[in-house]
Amino acid sequence: MRALIHDPAAPHGLRLDDAPDPVPGPTEALVEVAATSLNFGEVTYLANRPVGSVPGWDASGVVVSPAATGGGPPAGARVVTFGWAGGWGRRRAVDVAELAVLPDAVSHAAAAALPVAGVTALRALRRLGSVVGRRVLVTGASGGVGRFAVQLAARAGAEVVASVGSVERGQGLRELGAASIVVDPELAEVDQPLYGVIDNVGGALLARSYALLEPGGLALSVGMASLQPTTINFEQARINNAGARLEAFNIGASVGPDLAYLAGLLAAGELDAQVGWHGSWERFEEAIEALRGRRVLGKAVLEVSSSGS
């Protein structure tokens, strides 16, 4: 099959070439991939992948053969899938716990944007607890996770403060539900305590966000787009916002039900996939450059061609 293969000698560490077809395990379905997406984390840390492997977390497509155990959707079903590898290949073997059947109204391109970004935003918001009438800060709000988090938090009744790196990066966030948009990295405009923080940036911005929590508030470290470590003065925190909490967030497993929920929201027009870059996987270098250059608002989605499969 054709696939994007990790090759340290190639531009961006990837080449489009032939790779062995995946062999499904007993609980895995074999899916013919129609669209996949790029996440900042998997592109940034690609060097950690085995040489010659097929990376890729998100993919949507059609079931070629169902799981041998009999669980999961039948052959021909349109599905969206999640996994820590294999999403950038023409075919993917995926556990049935990590996929969901797509409503007819949801395109493969929109579905491919959901797994990591959408489920991360959904599960992070759940971790915050009830946000009805409470102030929630989303940092890195212009990215994939951020734009889903803004929508879902607003839908849950939160007053959403969206933090972005530039005025241009804030485009469309008010329409998605942000009550205010903050460009200043010092968050000087945030003059009231926060109940919760979903942080996608890390570095000094996470420290500043944590310092703005109300007593008992929670900041979730979801990502580190800044690529900078975070230094926090906990002595100051004990004085100014006693009881405020900070957690490192992980997406977890068995995301199938959450994918089904998000796909249902897409089908009902209650969620927007925010695909900011869309093109053939033959243009993967262009897509990666746009993502790394902070020129993508939301998700970068690649259509997987069947030629040479």
Side-chain angles (χ1 to χ4, degrees):
M1 68 171 184
R2 300 290 283 174
L4 290 174
I5 301 170
H6 176 38
D7 178 357
H12 302 295
L14 291 169
R15 74 174 191 275
L16 182 58
D17 207 339
D18 292 327
D21 278 9
V23 179
T27 63
E28 293 181 326
L30 184 64
V31 175
E32 184 169 321
V33 175
T36 186
S37 76
L38 303 175
N39 293 281
F40 184 83
E42 63 190 337
V43 169
T44 301
Y45 299 106
L46 186 60
N48 295 336
R49 303 289 309 172
V51 175
S53 65
V54 178
W57 299 341
D58 306 332
S60 64
V62 177
V63 175
V64 174
S65 57
T69 55
R78 300 172 67 250
V79 293
V80 56
T81 72
F82 164 76
W84 292 118
W88 295 347
R90 181 60 180 150
R91 297 181 186 89
R92 172 182 229 181
V94 59
D95 194 283
V96 295
E98 310 296 349
L99 58 75
V101 175
L102 288 177
D104 291 339
V106 178
S107 70
H108 283 301
L114 286 177
V116 169
V119 174
T120 292
L122 177 64
R123 291 187 169 185
L125 186 61
R126 284 183 185 149
R127 183 69 189 96
L128 292 181
S130 174
V131 296
V132 177
R134 289 167 160 167
R135 289 166 56 82
V136 172
L137 172 68
V138 178
T139 71
S142 59
V145 175
R147 285 178 179 264
F148 279 122
V150 168
Q151 293 179 78
L152 293 170
R155 191 173 186 274
E159 179 187 345
V160 182
V161 180
S163 170
V164 294
S166 67
V167 172
E168 293 74 20
R169 297 288 288 170
Q171 179 181 336
L173 287 174
R174 287 193 182 276
E175 290 79 359
L176 296 180
S180 59
I181 299 173
V182 178
V183 178
D184 179 10
E186 295 298 319
L187 302 178
E189 298 174 42
V190 182
D191 55 2
Q192 298 180 45
L194 301 165
Y195 169 76
V197 175
I198 297 177
D199 174 65
N200 298 289
V201 178
L205 188 56
L206 173 56
R208 178 59 179 152
S209 301
Y210 175 73
L212 291 170
L213 286 173
E214 63 187 43
L218 174 61
L220 295 173
S221 173
V222 171
M224 197 175 75
S226 68
L227 304 179
Q228 297 296 317
T230 299
T231 300
I232 292 177
N233 185 335
F234 283 106
E235 184 59 33
Q236 184 182 57
R238 275 188 283 272
I239 296 171
N240 295 337
N241 55 345
R245 296 161 293 152
L246 173 63
E247 293 182 7
F249 173 87
N250 289 297
I251 189 172
S254 300
V255 304
D258 289 339
L259 284 174
Y261 172 71
L262 293 171
L265 292 182
L266 284 181
E270 297 178 23
L271 186 70
D272 191 298
Q274 292 289 286
V275 177
W277 191 101
H278 185 195
S280 167
W281 70 342
E282 295 178 353
R283 298 168 55 199
F284 72 90
E285 293 182 19
E286 177 186 338
I288 290 174
E289 289 170 2
L291 191 64
R292 284 179 165 168
R294 306 292 200 274
R295 298 193 301 275
V296 178
L297 299 180
K299 293 289 295 179
V301 171
L302 303 176
E303 294 280 356
V304 176
S305 170
S306 61
S307 62
S309 64

